[in-house]
Amino acid sequence: MLYKTIGKERINLFFAVVYFYFAICFSILFFTIGFILYQKYDMRRQNKLKQQFIIMISEKQNLLLEEQYFDRQHIEVLKNQLVNLNKLISFEKALAHFEENEQLPIYLSQLEPVIKSLVIEYQQKDQMEQAYLAKFIATYAAKGKWHHPFIYKTLVAYLENATIYLRENILLATYQQPDSKWIISVFRYLTDNQLFHHPKLIQDGLLNYPYDYDSLIDELWEKRDTFHQPIVLGLIGYITYKSDRYKEVFYQLLQENQLDLEEKIRLIRYFRRHYYEKAESLLLDLANDKQDEIRIVAVNALSKYHSERVISTLKRALTDSNFYVRRNASQSLLEMGVSESELLDVLHGHDRYAKEMLRYHLQLEGRIFK
Amino acid sequence: MNLFIERFMDVVALIFISYMLLYTTFLFLYVLIGAVRLYEKNRMLKLKNEIKHEYYMPISIIMAAYNEEVTIVDSVKNLLNLDYKLFEIIIIDDGSTDKTVEKLLEAFPFVQINRPIHRKIMCKDALVIYETTIKNIKITLIQKENGGKGDALNLGINASSYPYFVTIDADSLLQRNSLEKIIQPVLADERVIAVGGMVRVAQCVEMVNGEVMDYRIPRNLVVGMQVMEYDRSFLASRIFLDQFSGNLIISGAFGLFKKDVVIAAGGYHTNIIGEDMELVMRLHTFMLNNQRNYRVAYCPEAICWSQMPENIRDVIKQRRRWHIGLFQSLLSYPIMFTRFPHKAVSFFSYLYYWLFELLGPFIEVFGLATILLALSFDLLNVPFMINLFLIYTCYGILLSLTAFFQRVYTQGLKLHGSDVMIALLMVMIEIAIFRYFLSLIRVSAFIGYRKKRCQWGKITRKKHNSKTIEYT
């Protein structure tokens, strides 16, 4: 094209395409600069709105304090205003301003009708806005006692084709109300649609549940067969953190042959956190399992089971072919306070790997220096 | 003879027209899709559409170092301020000849220890191991014989305790929330095996405890032009390729990997210059060969500030290494195209890197040569050529400025008025001159490259503009 030999029509076509791209890119640049300026304007506007809401909330809180009175008009104003997402964002920022204020829960408790109206209105909005509303509810539902089933029924309806962020925010919202039914509904939806939700998110999310967690655990565990694996794994993790009432249940479960590997690992971890005498023999068996992963976790769990049999199994595990079994066995022995004299046979033995590992952990604990 | 030259020029011109159109289309798509995705991401963050938790998966940060006495202490202190609950730091000193280790031993209360390391991937042995724990963060310092960056990283992987590891350079500063951000794609999608963070120019920022306090365009011309080049080349292209998990590079300066997959794929190659790109290409082929469903993600919100070369000599060294690394990596995996031509990662990414990244500079230089040839035979359409140069330069300026302003708004950076003017100036020089200069450098990259295999590419470092409140 740089040469006189090339046809004019080719040159024109080439320039036409490049000019077209040029025009679009110029529009993008123009939009980007415009957007930066808009952001500055928007921030100022948001601050102004936030200040207005702060004044409004202060006045209403004072009214509540003095006369236990909350006018309907305020509810209607909020219903109308908070449909606008920007106003909802400013309102949330204003509420955050009162975070430490003891009166905030009283004020929030009057807002349930507003939330009922908002969940309906936000059905028409896009998923990002719905996710924002769900997160807003998750933040204040427990404080404001927004427990009305209608709110959560509507939120669960948002799940249709929802993004991971919307699903997560809806889950966070359902954890903030006491009825396990809604949590189960979301879990079922995820299961039925084979939607992956990381077990860590399930576990950490459930840990935010501020009500009677024993009942929640029982109800969720009862339905566990209806949930897919990531949820069950998260649930076991949650139970491990929160309850020692599942020793016998998990003990029985751990003896099942068909149990999934991941589930088995998590159940073994449960017995590290919660001592169960009956589980000792089972853990000792698992410390000799064929699967490396099982041995690694079982040897780790045995740190809480101080007995001659355990010590001897752990010493044997120090010579295991798997590095992590040796490492965990060494850590467990020291964690249960086994003295150096009891370990002399290993320290002066012939297994170099066992010696190295034990010496390292002894050195870490400051028991030997070399 | 003249007829032959005319025919030759005709063919060359047609090839160039097609090439330039294709390249322009790629750039156009980058910017267009990048703009849409960044706007969307910005909105997502504003509307709390993100996976944000108190606790995440534990991560091992692996920092391979060779002669980094100037920056390493600041870089480690910076890591101690990250907003993340559970991580360890592993520093591998790859036989430094300066005071890298001494500086670390002075700065932190390390204790020498005899620690067994599980050798899951081949690497040279550890010579001395030190450990300490600060703010519940375990720091391991391992001295080893010099073996190159890949070898050092392999030792770091072997020594790491957690299922995910992050690699960072010893001159890099992570923003406080970088780890929190870079792990989010893993929580959102179980198929993710690697995540690339965004690498930006450290000379632009003043950081206090991992937070950006001020952002300025460096007045140093060499650095300033690289800022613009990074914005244009890396932001837009990686966002575009991320749409179909097609990124073939995760910068060694900041990337997260799933450890078991990396180990299964064999870890880093130790006899290659571009070990970071080679690993990502190997992960792609490994997963494709094993018919596993996977994703390689890019997370522009996870930001790492890394020092750029401040003089031309260092730029030349760095770019030559990069180009050789690109060549070695692409040449190692023809299987991507021969076996999986229907996959987007092969068809778009692999071809793109071959055509525009590896061969692009050669094509440009060849183009300049044919221009001279055409001129000597009076076959050059001079007005057209001037037109073409102008429109391409303007197009490049437009793309660079768009990428620059996109970064400003997505990262909430406050821009000084004078910086806008400087940015414009830097963009113009970068597009009109620096870009062609880099093409020449890349073309000449292969001269004598065999002598430098496996060596660390070193550039002159200077102290970070970063402050850290006492960490103990």
Side-chain angles (χ1 to χ4, degrees):
Chain A
M1 66 261 156
L2 299 177
Y3 323 109
K4 289 174 179 172
T5 54
I6 197 155
K8 200 169 181 181
E9 63 282 2
R10 283 178 188 159
I11 292 176
N12 288 342
L13 178 71
F14 174 76
F15 271 123
V17 174
V18 174
Y19 279 127
F20 170 72
Y21 290 165
F22 198 91
I24 304 274
C25 289
F26 193 77
S27 318
I28 296 171
L29 176 64
F30 191 70
F31 170 81
T32 306
I33 295 172
F35 190 69
I36 292 171
L37 297 174
Y38 171 77
Q39 271 189 324
K40 284 191 177 172
Y41 158 77
D42 191 48
M43 198 183 288
R44 275 202 294 273
R45 196 183 57 168
Q46 290 266 356
N47 279 336
K48 209 170 148 188
L49 268 172
K50 179 182 142 187
Q51 289 309 322
Q52 285 171 2
F53 277 124
I54 287 174
I55 295 166
M56 189 193 270
I57 294 167
S58 287
E59 281 172 6
K60 299 302 163 192
Q61 279 189 337
N62 290 338
L63 267 180
L64 275 170
L65 257 180
E66 287 163 15
E67 302 168 32
Q68 301 292 310
Y69 159 77
F70 202 86
D71 62 309
R72 276 188 164 279
Q73 203 194 340
H74 181 59
I75 297 285
E76 292 309 316
V77 168
L78 287 180
K79 275 184 187 176
N80 290 328
Q81 290 208 356
L82 302 186
V83 173
N84 180 318
L85 181 74
N86 283 327
K87 290 189 176 166
L88 181 61
I89 293 171
S90 303
F91 184 67
E92 187 180 5
K93 285 180 181 161
L95 287 178
H97 178 82
F98 295 96
E99 196 62 58
E100 304 298 318
N101 192 322
E102 287 173 7
Q103 303 306 316
L104 183 65
I106 304 168
Y107 173 76
L108 287 171
S109 66
Q110 306 296 314
L111 297 185
E112 196 175 68
V114 179
I115 303 304
K116 280 162 70 181
S117 162
L118 287 182
V119 288
I120 288 288
E121 296 290 345
Y122 275 68
Q123 271 184 321
Q124 311 305 321
K125 305 212 175 209
D126 70 29
Q127 293 200 356
M128 278 196 215
E129 296 185 34
Q130 290 177 345
Y132 185 82
L133 177 68
K135 190 67 191 273
F136 174 77
I137 294 172
T139 311
Y140 294 106
K143 266 189 188 163
K145 296 191 173 65
W146 301 338
H147 299 162
H148 200 286
F150 179 78
I151 296 171
Y152 301 95
K153 189 180 172 188
T154 317
L155 282 182
V156 170
Y158 287 180
L159 281 170
E160 191 72 36
N161 297 320
T163 60
I164 171 86
Y165 310 105
L166 178 54
R167 298 201 298 264
E168 169 68 356
N169 289 358
I170 290 172
L171 265 173
L172 291 175
T174 57
Y175 298 144
Q176 296 304 313
Q177 53 78 49
D179 192 347
S180 66
K181 182 171 84 179
W182 302 114
I183 301 173
I184 291 169
S185 296
V186 184
F187 284 176
R188 283 241 176 95
Y189 182 87
L190 298 177
T191 305
D192 293 345
N193 293 281
Q194 284 300 307
L195 295 169
F196 173 76
H197 212 79
H198 203 286
K200 186 101 180 95
L201 296 180
I202 300 283
Q203 174 192 299
D204 292 355
L206 283 167
L207 285 169
N208 293 323
Y209 184 76
Y211 309 100
D212 176 9
Y213 55 80
D214 277 332
S215 311
L216 175 73
I217 287 171
D218 292 343
E219 284 159 38
L220 291 178
W221 187 253
E222 200 188 319
K223 303 272 193 267
R224 75 167 181 112
D225 290 338
T226 63
F227 305 144
H228 67 162
Q229 197 214 31
I231 295 172
V232 177
L233 295 179
L235 183 55
I236 296 172
Y238 174 58
I239 296 173
T240 304
Y241 273 102
K242 282 291 191 183
S243 174
D244 62 355
R245 296 182 302 112
Y246 274 71
K247 291 172 181 170
E248 184 56 30
V249 177
F250 284 179
Y251 174 69
Q252 295 298 338
L253 193 59
L254 200 48
Q255 297 187 78
E256 284 180 15
N257 289 331
Q258 300 304 315
L259 200 63
D260 172 82
L261 176 68
E262 281 290 322
E263 275 185 52
K264 210 168 186 175
I265 286 171
R266 284 177 192 243
L267 292 175
I268 297 170
R269 283 191 189 135
Y270 179 88
F271 290 109
R272 177 184 157 82
R273 195 173 176 96
H274 306 286
Y275 176 80
Y276 191 43
E277 199 180 341
K278 226 168 137 181
E280 186 179 309
S281 299
L282 181 57
L283 291 175
L284 284 168
D285 288 344
L286 293 171
N288 293 308
D289 198 272
K290 278 184 290 184
Q291 285 176 286
D292 287 355
E293 295 87 346
I294 300 287
R295 292 205 307 283
I296 293 167
V297 190
V299 159
N300 179 253
L302 282 169
S303 66
K304 304 292 173 196
Y305 297 79
H306 196 157
S307 75
E308 283 306 314
R309 271 183 74 201
V310 169
I311 291 173
S312 123
T313 303
L314 289 177
K315 277 185 174 178
R316 210 168 40 250
L318 280 172
T319 61
D320 195 282
S321 59
N322 185 290
F323 177 90
Y324 298 103
V325 176
R326 296 200 298 275
R327 185 193 67 182
N328 286 358
S330 167
Q331 279 174 335
S332 293
L333 280 166
L334 300 189
E335 203 180 315
M336 63 172 59
V338 176
S339 67
E340 284 92 313
S341 57
E342 287 177 90
L343 299 169
L344 279 178
D345 51 337
V346 182
L347 290 169
H348 297 299
H350 297 296
D351 192 319
R352 197 189 104 204
Y353 295 114
K355 271 195 285 190
E356 268 180 9
M357 192 59 84
L358 201 54
R359 291 187 78 84
Y360 167 61
H361 286 113
L362 282 167
Q363 210 181 345
L364 269 188
E365 290 205 348
R367 295 211 223 165
I368 56 167
F369 303 93
K370 195 168 178 183
Chain B
M1 181 65 182
N2 271 359
L3 187 66
F4 172 75
I5 297 286
E6 269 184 36
R7 288 274 171 257
F8 173 72
M9 288 300 171
D10 206 18
V11 171
V12 168
L14 264 179
I15 292 172
F16 270 99
I17 273 210
S18 314
Y19 177 81
M20 289 178 86
L21 258 186
L22 204 61
Y23 187 51
T24 317
T25 306
F26 256 109
L27 292 179
F28 170 70
L29 286 175
Y30 281 1
V31 170
L32 187 66
I33 291 173
V36 173
R37 289 292 298 144
L38 281 174
Y39 176 75
E40 204 176 79
K41 284 228 168 198
N42 188 58
R43 189 161 177 257
M44 280 168 76
L45 290 181
K46 186 182 169 190
L47 300 185
K48 299 183 179 178
N49 279 241
E50 63 173 335
I51 305 285
K52 201 169 165 59
H53 265 234
E54 275 282 296
Y55 304 95
Y56 293 96
M57 257 90 74
I59 295 176
S60 302
I61 299 179
I62 303 173
M63 182 191 278
Y66 177 72
N67 289 350
E68 298 284 0
E69 63 178 8
V70 181
T71 56
I72 195 147
V73 172
D74 282 343
S75 298
V76 176
K77 282 183 180 174
N78 163 267
L79 294 177
L80 295 172
N81 280 306
L82 295 177
D83 286 338
Y84 203 77
K85 303 273 185 201
L86 190 54
F87 66 98
E88 63 169 349
I89 303 167
I90 298 167
I91 308 156
I92 310 292
D93 174 66
D94 193 42
S96 294
T97 51
D98 69 351
K99 292 185 175 168
T100 301
V101 173
E102 287 88 335
K103 294 270 179 194
L104 286 167
L105 294 178
E106 270 169 31
F108 306 102
F110 278 111
V111 175
Q112 191 179 334
I113 205 150
N114 297 317
R115 175 181 162 182
I117 290 175
H118 188 200
R119 289 169 65 91
K120 288 159 282 189
I121 324 170
M122 286 296 287
C123 63
K124 290 192 174 171
D125 282 332
L127 300 174
V128 190
I129 304 175
Y130 303 91
E131 283 186 1
T132 188
T133 302
I134 297 167
K135 294 201 322 195
N136 280 330
I137 301 162
K138 184 178 164 191
I139 311 177
T140 308
L141 166 62
I142 305 177
Q143 270 185 290
K144 68 181 277 288
E145 198 187 315
N146 183 269
K149 192 174 178 184
D151 193 67
L153 290 169
N154 281 344
L155 180 55
I157 295 169
N158 286 338
S160 64
S161 311
Y162 298 136
Y164 288 89
F165 71 88
V166 158
T167 58
I168 66 164
D169 283 346
D171 64 320
S172 297
L173 295 174
L174 294 188
Q175 265 183 222
R176 283 188 82 98
N177 60 357
S178 299
L179 279 193
E180 183 188 318
K181 296 285 180 189
I182 204 163
I183 194 78
Q184 285 179 355
V186 174
L187 286 168
D189 187 347
E190 63 176 337
R191 297 169 304 156
V192 172
I193 56 163
V195 186
M198 187 198 278
V199 180
R200 304 208 56 194
V201 180
Q203 283 96 328
C204 292
V205 284
E206 185 194 331
M207 287 180 88
V208 176
N209 289 332
E211 286 194 56
V212 176
M213 304 312 287
D214 196 16
Y215 179 85
R216 301 301 302 249
I217 302 291
R219 271 44 179 174
N220 177 326
L221 193 65
V222 176
V223 183
M225 286 190 299
Q226 287 176 89
V227 173
M228 297 303 146
E229 187 207 3
Y230 262 60
D231 282 352
R232 187 192 65 245
S233 314
F234 299 149
L235 175 74
S237 68
R238 293 196 181 167
I239 290 174
F240 172 74
L241 297 174
D242 188 44
Q243 301 313 300
F244 47 86
S245 182
N247 270 306
L248 297 186
I249 300 180
I250 286 181
S251 167
F254 189 34
L256 175 132
F257 297 88
K258 195 172 183 182
K259 193 165 81 177
D260 59 358
V261 178
V262 173
I263 290 171
Y268 284 92
H269 264 203
T270 52
N271 60 350
I272 204 159
I273 288 175
E275 70 290 322
D276 45 4
M277 182 180 190
E278 195 279 336
L279 176 70
V280 179
M281 291 198 64
R282 190 143 37 85
L283 291 178
H284 276 294
T285 47
F286 176 79
M287 300 303 273
L288 289 170
N289 274 329
N290 289 288
Q291 296 178 337
R292 282 163 71 177
N293 198 1
Y294 76 102
R295 254 189 72 74
V296 170
Y298 177 62
C299 182
E301 303 91 58
I303 299 165
C304 162
W305 300 88
S306 196
Q307 280 199 12
M308 294 301 127
E310 295 206 341
N311 57 61
I312 284 290
R313 215 182 65 187
D314 283 347
V315 172
I316 293 172
K317 270 198 282 183
Q318 185 197 51
R319 297 311 165 101
R320 281 188 167 162
R321 286 182 63 82
W322 284 6
H323 208 65
I324 293 166
L326 178 72
F327 170 72
Q328 290 176 331
S329 303
L330 289 175
L331 210 65
S332 303
Y333 296 97
I335 191 174
M336 279 197 84
F337 199 68
T338 53
R339 192 160 170 203
F340 311 104
H342 54 285
K343 297 278 180 190
V345 65
S346 307
F347 190 76
F348 283 108
S349 310
Y350 190 70
L351 270 192
Y352 169 80
Y353 277 100
W354 260 108
L355 275 180
F356 301 120
E357 295 291 339
L358 185 70
L359 299 178
F362 291 94
I363 294 170
E364 280 177 21
V365 171
F366 179 66
L368 287 172
T370 56
I371 287 171
L372 292 177
L373 188 69
L375 192 63
S376 66
F377 281 90
D378 193 29
L379 291 170
L380 191 69
N381 186 340
V382 177
F384 172 81
M385 197 197 76
I386 294 170
N387 246 350
L388 184 74
F389 177 76
L390 284 179
I391 194 166
Y392 253 76
T393 305
C394 290
Y395 188 58
I397 291 172
L398 202 57
L399 295 179
S400 294
L401 283 178
T402 307
F404 172 73
F405 284 116
Q406 279 172 342
R407 289 221 185 179
V408 169
Y409 89 74
T410 50
Q411 286 163 24
L413 299 171
K414 280 184 188 157
L415 208 56
H416 298 264
S418 59
D419 282 340
V420 178
M421 298 313 293
I422 290 172
L424 191 62
L425 184 72
M426 296 287 183
V427 162
M428 287 198 286
I429 303 172
E430 195 263 317
I431 293 290
I433 303 166
F434 191 60
R435 192 171 169 277
Y436 297 103
F437 170 71
L438 288 182
S439 288
L440 281 172
I441 297 303
R442 288 156 79 185
V443 167
S444 66
F446 298 93
I447 301 168
Y449 95 91
R450 282 196 170 272
K451 291 179 209 158
K452 295 172 184 170
R453 283 164 84 106
C454 316
Q455 284 178 15
W456 284 76
K458 292 310 295 175
I459 58 170
T460 312
R461 304 282 189 223
K462 66 171 204 174
K463 290 282 282 179
H464 285 301
N465 194 4
S466 153
K467 293 183 193 119
T468 312
I469 292 174
E470 222 26 70
Y471 54 85
T472 44

